[in-house]
Amino acid sequence: MNKITLLLIALVAIVLTACGSSKAKENDIKVADDEVIVYFCKDITPENILKLYEALGVKQEGKIGLKVHFGEEGNQNFLNPELLRPLVKKTNATFVETNVLYVSKRRFTDQHIALAKEHGFTFAPIDILDDEGEIEYAATGLKHFDKIKTGSHFANYDAYIIYSHFKGHGSAGFGGAIKNVSMGFASPGGKMAMHASNVPAVKHGDQCVHCNRCVQQCPANAIVLTEGGPVIDSSKCLGCAKCIAECGFGIFSPGGFTSGEEFLEKLVEYAKVFVEKKPMVFINVMDNISKTCDCSAKAPKPFMDKIGAVASTDIVAVDLVCHDLCAKKQNTEDAFKDVNDVSGRGQCEYAAKLGMGKMKYVLVDVTTGKRITLEDALK
Ligand code: SF4
Ligand code: SF4
């Protein structure tokens, strides 16, 4: 290697180092190799949500999807969509979601969109990503999956903003960015793969009206209608969950629920594939912190006061800081284990183990640009 080559390599290294730490330098904040910056605002306002996004300094170009949760019908805790108005104006983003597995207005695209509008998500286009079916991505090196399933429209976006309501979740401990990405982008078949065994269960077969819809929609010809309702041939079933999604009478449901550590690992593995497919940034809002998620038609009242909002380019750190803030606020080790008997911290630990992000963060007040402690954030 001659001197000129060595000089060029050194110059490139200097430029790359300077670019990587420009935000930190600007704020005079030192960040170690195993740390990442998480921006914080105490006042949850539309202006501050935009400020958090801008502080990340990430240039997202092309078609941007803003992953939200519209809130189940009857849910009173979902985030006020008005918080997103300036961010939508700035990014020209589309609200994106996927249909759910259970009987609800959010199971069918037209009703899902109507509910979203009723809930105030009126100022950007809405795209239900699995409206036209699902696609699969290959997954390698994972414990539970060799492929994952998402809505076909997922591929249509150049970048995503993951906007998550940080609150409790019965099976995951808490629901934050990791859960919003994994369950939130999964098609019904993907949701079922995380939640349950692959073959749906038939319940209340006697209530089947023999409309034949499930039989027509099943891609594997695995369903036979009998007098007592549908019967699934498990040797043919592909686990696509179309029958669950298509039957308007709730005859099918996921068969047997995965829980505990295995469920958390499955969530994280799905999220890993998604974050590797598209550039994403993460904003978590800690308000209306109930023990259950916004899929609950009647969620319990919040069990702690609002804390603020955070943003990061790191999906692990953004959830971990919320976990830590909630624990400190409640003066406990794990605020969500206390109420749900599941530690959501396991999501972060497994995600870090898979190389998805960092377990150490530097908290920075987005207004002052100064480093702050968890205690400062809670003052
Ligand atoms: S879609 Fe539902 S109601 Fe219709 S035949 Fe299938 S199980 Fe019965
Ligand atoms: S999960 Fe899919 S393949 Fe299996 S029975 Fe239902 S529609 Fe058919």
Side-chain angles (χ1 to χ4, degrees):
M1 211 180 286
N2 63 30
K3 276 185 184 169
I4 294 174
T5 312
L6 282 171
L7 193 62
L8 277 172
I9 291 172
L11 273 172
V12 169
I14 289 166
V15 169
L16 285 177
T17 307
C19 289
S21 61
S22 60
K23 200 79 197 165
K25 275 189 179 164
E26 186 187 303
N27 295 327
D28 197 22
I29 291 164
K30 290 191 171 41
V31 182
D33 287 347
D34 61 348
E35 293 176 328
V36 64
I37 288 181
V38 178
Y39 290 94
F40 172 82
C41 71
K42 190 170 187 62
D43 295 327
I44 305 169
T45 64
E47 295 70 30
N48 277 348
I49 296 296
L50 177 59
K51 209 179 267 183
L52 283 171
Y53 174 75
E54 290 178 330
L56 298 175
V58 174
K59 206 164 182 220
Q60 290 187 308
E61 285 175 339
K63 195 170 176 189
I64 298 175
L66 177 50
K67 176 66 186 69
V68 290
H69 190 306
F70 298 129
E72 190 53 74
E73 186 180 32
N75 181 277
Q76 76 282 23
N77 290 332
F78 68 91
L79 297 171
N80 182 351
E82 287 302 318
L83 288 169
L84 292 170
R85 202 177 271 274
L87 180 62
V88 164
K89 194 170 176 204
K90 165 96 184 176
T91 59
N92 206 22
T94 298
F95 293 133
V96 297
E97 247 295 20
T98 52
N99 286 321
V100 299
L101 264 182
Y102 47 86
V103 180
S104 131
K105 282 192 175 168
R106 295 168 59 240
R107 184 191 269 194
F108 303 103
T109 298
D110 50 349
Q111 294 176 29
H112 198 161
I113 290 175
L115 180 66
K117 288 184 175 166
E118 261 175 51
H119 284 183
F121 291 84
T122 53
F123 47 89
I126 294 174
D127 187 359
I128 303 298
L129 300 178
D130 55 316
D131 181 41
E132 295 182 294
E134 66 180 15
I135 51 172
E136 293 181 354
Y137 288 123
T140 50
L142 300 180
K143 190 165 152 188
H144 300 286
F145 301 110
D146 57 12
K147 65 182 176 197
I148 61 112
K149 302 169 184 179
T150 180
S152 62
H153 295 186
F154 176 83
N156 297 345
Y157 292 83
D158 298 298
Y160 284 100
I161 303 167
I162 309 301
Y163 177 75
S164 310
H165 180 198
F166 194 87
K167 73 282 159 203
H169 184 275
S171 311
F174 61 70
I178 292 173
K179 183 163 179 307
N180 195 11
V181 168
S182 57
M183 207 55 85
F185 280 135
S187 58
K191 288 182 169 77
M192 190 167 73
M194 280 181 274
H195 267 306
S197 66
N198 273 337
V199 182
V202 176
K203 287 185 183 158
H204 316 298
D206 55 328
Q207 292 169 22
C208 168
V209 300
H210 292 79
C211 66
N212 218 34
R213 190 170 170 82
C214 57
V215 175
Q216 287 165 349
Q217 294 295 324
C218 175
N221 286 328
I223 302 175
V224 176
L225 280 186
T226 68
E227 271 192 24
V231 174
I232 297 175
D233 181 342
S234 58
S235 67
K236 289 184 181 172
C237 175
L238 308 169
C240 69
K242 268 210 165 93
C243 50
I244 302 178
E246 294 292 338
C247 176
F249 298 88
I251 308 291
F252 301 95
S253 59
F257 279 94
T258 309
S259 62
E261 195 177 334
E262 185 182 333
F263 178 62
L264 296 190
E265 287 177 356
K266 286 181 168 180
L267 273 182
V268 171
E269 291 190 359
Y270 251 69
K272 182 172 192 290
V273 178
F274 289 129
V275 296
E276 287 174 354
K277 282 285 164 206
K278 299 284 178 180
M280 295 182 190
V281 297
F282 310 96
I283 300 172
N284 282 2
V285 178
M286 291 163 279
D287 192 5
N288 292 343
I289 307 168
S290 166
K291 65 182 273 192
T292 68
C293 71
D294 299 346
C295 298
S296 308
K298 280 195 185 105
K301 283 185 182 159
F303 67 97
M304 71 172 92
D305 290 338
K306 69 172 82 168
I307 293 177
V310 290
S312 180
T313 53
D314 187 308
I315 192 171
V316 177
V318 81
D319 275 0
L320 185 62
V321 74
C322 293
H323 164 276
D324 292 350
L325 281 165
C326 292
K328 199 159 268 300
K329 176 127 186 129
Q330 296 299 90
N331 198 20
T332 180
E333 284 286 301
D334 189 328
F336 298 99
K337 187 161 194 294
D338 291 349
V339 295
N340 285 328
D341 210 24
V342 180
S343 176
R345 196 174 195 278
Q347 297 176 51
C348 299
E349 287 163 358
Y350 189 56
K353 196 170 149 194
L354 293 182
M356 293 165 62
K358 296 177 178 172
M359 291 292 280
K360 286 190 179 173
Y361 52 81
V362 171
L363 200 55
V364 172
D365 185 311
V366 78
T367 308
T368 63
K370 303 280 185 205
R371 184 175 184 147
I372 55 170
T373 62
L374 295 177
E375 289 81 2
D376 294 333
L378 293 172
K379 271 179 198 158

